[in-house]
Amino acid sequence: MIDIRNIGYSYPGSRKEVFTNFSLNIKGNSIYGLLGKNGTGKSTLLYLISGMLRLKYGKIEIDGEDAGRRNPDILRELFFVPEEFDLPSMTLDAYVRLNSPFYPHFDRKVLNRCLLDFELPLNLNLKELSMGQKKKVYMSFALAANTRMLLMDEPTNGMDIPSKSQFRKVVASNMSENRTVIISTHQVHDVEQLLDHIIMLDRSRILLNASVQDICERYSFECRMPGENSDDVIYAEPSLQGNNVIARRNSEKEDTMINLELLFNAATKNLLK
Amino acid sequence: MAKTFDINRFMQLSKWSVYTYKKEYITTVTMATVIFFIILFMRFNLMGLNDVIMDGMETFSHTAVGLLMFIFSISGCYLLNNMKTKQQRLMFKLLPASDAEKFLARYLYVTVFWIVGCIVAYCIADVLRLSLSLITGHGMQTTTIPYFFTALTNTVTFNNVNDTADAIFSVEMLMFTHSLYLLGGTLFRRRQFVLTSMTMILGTILLAWVASWFVGSYSFNISTESLKGFVYFIMCLLPVLTAAAYWLSYRIFKRMQVVNNKWINL
């Protein structure tokens, strides 16, 4: 679905390349987590996929179409929720009337449902909202647009704890079979339970590109007491309860819940093979 | 294959532009109204002599129309006024419309829409002037609006111009200047009006210096006939240069990213 082939990119005025011969293939129909430290190019990759930045070299194709051409047919099936955005000073109804015609699959019922899940009224004036509320409204519109691709850059930034839980519920309940969601974030705990597929970036390298199912089949995430058997442990971090470990999963053992922070730390130390 | 230009999508985008940038438009028209009001009030209400005022109305109306032409010629500078910040650029660039539709929608907004706004501002300013006269007990003043529209119609239809070549040359110069400001408006990221004007002035000085050196070096004998021929050559060249400037502006607009160089949109 999204084919990124040997791309190179550096910001105007900068010699430092954010991506050098970077390649990635995103098959689609899942919720992808794009994780990495600050400055590794997560947001830049989303801008490149949506055609908002121009590649130095290489190609990004969405369903065979060059993303850089900003084809309206592709833009109609792609919605990008950036970390910071502008909403015009108008009512939500006016905003929907003006913007929804650009998205042929827009569904007002989905918008209303999302707003209710976010505990927001249906008759809003966008200029009277706080930043967190604007984010919820924008995300609700994004989900209601029913585009095949939904890109979100740091969606939980600025959200309070209840809102993060609402966010997970809203995204999960509006996920469909033919939809691809790519969430770029460094706040891994906020999206841990939501993701189907993990992509970890580190300075133009892919540290990890695997489905959550694959990861959980290969590894188990446990808390072990000091002195317990550690032959199968790949990576461990001390915690108040003992040691949080990633161990090779024994097929007889049950699946464990993924711990993205632990996984990320292990990946950055090249301990996952 | 996507259409480069879809008329329905373009109409939707134009409607989107009008409503999204409504606040900025109203602010601009309000400022124009205030400026026109001050100028009209000072020019006519403070004069006191009726026959002087009547004679002055026609002259003033031509000046007002001249001001409109000036606004049209520099309006291209403000093509990218809706994309000053990264967030604004994202909002506009992500809209599912082609670059051609977006360019034309913005172009019509900063030219036709603004000119209409200025005309409306002028009329409102004059009505306010008349109302103020009545309220302050100075009696009924004469409105400049009919003179203004007469001057505007005469200018647009070249009613008082006898020489067709003069009329064509005037239009070509206006459109050429407009296209250069449009090019500057898309190329420069900041201070578009100042930088474009400075570039044009420096370019003119350079051109004049080269021309004077050329004429001086080769001892040309400039006659009226050869000058006429040169002017006709310029009249043929101007539309080509204007078209080239429009095309370059569109190319720069198409290439624009959400993060650009500090001073130019490349």
Side-chain angles (χ1 to χ4, degrees), chain A residues 232-248:
Chain A
D232 57 346
V233 170
I234 295 164
Y235 177 74
E237 276 179 6
S239 71
L240 287 173
Q241 290 83 23
N243 291 319
N244 289 329
V245 306
I246 301 176
R248 291 196 199 290

Side-chain angles (χ1 to χ4, degrees), chain B residues 30-266:
Chain B
T30 306
M31 273 168 52
T33 306
V34 167
I35 292 168
F36 278 131
F37 172 77
I38 291 169
I39 296 171
L40 281 163
F41 185 80
M42 284 175 63
R43 180 68 181 82
F44 296 110
N45 285 44
L46 298 182
M47 287 282 254
L49 297 168
N50 258 341
D51 49 355
V52 173
I53 289 171
M54 295 304 289
D55 183 45
M57 282 198 176
E58 215 176 297
T59 317
F60 184 83
S61 298
H62 281 109
T63 309
V65 169
L67 187 62
L68 269 189
M69 297 294 119
F70 173 73
I71 291 169
F72 171 75
S73 66
I74 67 164
S75 60
C77 260
Y78 303 102
L79 189 89
L80 302 183
N81 240 29
N82 67 327
M83 290 199 274
K84 283 183 184 162
T85 65
K86 184 173 150 187
Q87 293 85 343
Q88 287 173 332
R89 286 192 289 277
L90 268 172
M91 180 171 76
F92 194 61
K93 285 286 183 186
L94 281 169
L95 269 180
S98 69
D99 285 324
E101 289 154 13
K102 288 174 186 171
F103 182 80
L104 187 61
R106 272 307 291 174
Y107 178 74
L108 291 175
Y109 184 86
V110 299
T111 53
V112 175
F113 217 51
W114 272 22
I115 292 295
V116 168
C118 287
I119 293 171
V120 167
Y122 183 90
C123 297
I124 295 172
D126 204 40
V127 167
L128 283 174
R129 178 183 69 88
L130 299 176
S131 308
L132 188 66
S133 265
L134 275 173
I135 292 166
T136 53
H138 286 95
M140 191 64 184
Q141 297 258 330
T142 311
T143 175
T144 64
I145 294 174
Y147 294 91
F148 174 73
F149 278 103
T150 304
L152 187 63
T153 313
N154 286 341
T155 304
V156 167
T157 57
F158 299 99
N159 211 8
N160 297 328
V161 178
N162 296 322
D163 192 338
T164 311
D166 274 351
I168 292 170
F169 188 69
S170 307
V171 170
E172 285 183 358
M173 276 308 296
L174 177 67
M175 292 309 294
F176 179 59
T177 311
H178 172 72
S179 70
L180 287 181
Y181 273 106
L182 182 70
L183 182 58
T186 48
L187 180 66
F188 296 118
R189 213 178 130 202
R190 302 156 193 257
R191 313 276 186 270
Q192 292 95 337
F193 176 68
V194 171
L195 289 173
T196 310
S197 301
M198 276 170 57
T199 310
M200 284 167 68
I201 290 166
L202 286 170
T204 308
I205 292 169
L206 191 68
L207 208 63
W209 178 77
V210 166
S212 68
W213 172 85
F214 193 73
V215 167
S217 298
Y218 292 93
S219 303
F220 277 121
N221 190 11
I222 300 172
S223 65
T224 311
E225 283 309 310
S226 60
L227 206 57
K228 255 192 185 171
F230 179 71
V231 170
Y232 283 128
F233 167 72
I234 295 294
M235 280 172 68
C236 293
L237 187 62
L238 279 177
V240 174
L241 293 175
T242 303
Y246 269 102
W247 179 81
L248 272 171
S249 305
Y250 174 62
R251 293 293 303 173
I252 294 169
F253 179 87
K254 249 178 97 85
R255 278 177 61 85
M256 206 173 150
Q257 309 178 82
V258 290
V259 178
N260 298 294
N261 284 305
K262 197 175 174 186
W263 285 98
I264 53 171
N265 288 320
L266 289 173

